[in-house]
């Protein structure tokens, strides 16, 4: 079941949306780099690593407090949301 998945790698899959991401409630690592994504849905509170470079993002959603690593170069970002300060 997707509720138990901790890693989702959909990099370089020519996708344009991540509908259903909210069902991955245990997700710790998301790699959605090298696609045609224009937005990310709300991210799971368990997410620790987000790789989303080489897409078409102009903004990112609120980042979960659990986030430790963010890699989002080569997008069209004009600003970033608050970056969580994680002690790790």
């Amino acid at each position: 079941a997707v509720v138990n998945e901790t890693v989702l790698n959909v990099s370089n899959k020519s996708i344009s949306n991540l509908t259903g991401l909210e069902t991955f409630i245990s997700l710790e690592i998301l790699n959605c780099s090298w696609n045609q994504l224009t937005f990310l849905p709300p991210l799971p509170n368990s997410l620790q690593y987000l790789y989303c470079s080489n897409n078409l993002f102009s903004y990112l959603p609120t980042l979960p407090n659990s986030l430790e690593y963010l890699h989002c170069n080569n997008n069209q970002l004009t600003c970033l949301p608050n970056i969580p300060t994680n002690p790790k």
Side-chain angles (χ1 to χ4, degrees):
V2 296
V3 297
N4 296 323
E5 292 295 324
T6 58
V7 177
L8 179 60
N9 184 353
V10 292
S11 63
N12 204 22
K13 300 290 185 192
S14 299
I15 58 174
S16 58
N17 73 65
L18 285 174
T19 301
L21 184 65
E22 66 279 359
T23 60
F24 290 81
I25 60 173
S26 299
L27 196 63
E28 296 175 359
I29 301 170
L30 172 60
N31 184 348
C32 59
S33 299
W34 294 96
N35 284 294
Q36 293 89 38
L37 297 167
T38 56
F39 77 97
L40 282 173
L43 299 168
N45 289 330
S46 56
L47 195 66
Q48 297 174 13
Y49 298 88
L50 175 58
Y51 303 89
C52 59
S53 59
N54 298 290
N55 278 289
L56 303 171
F57 298 126
S58 58
Y59 69 94
L60 294 175
T62 300
L63 299 172
N65 287 332
S66 58
L67 196 70
E68 297 177 20
Y69 184 84
L70 173 63
H71 191 248
C72 61
N73 64 308
N74 296 324
N75 278 288
Q76 300 170 359
L77 297 171
T78 56
C79 65
L80 289 173
N82 289 333
I83 307 294
T85 54
N86 199 317
K88 290 185 177 182

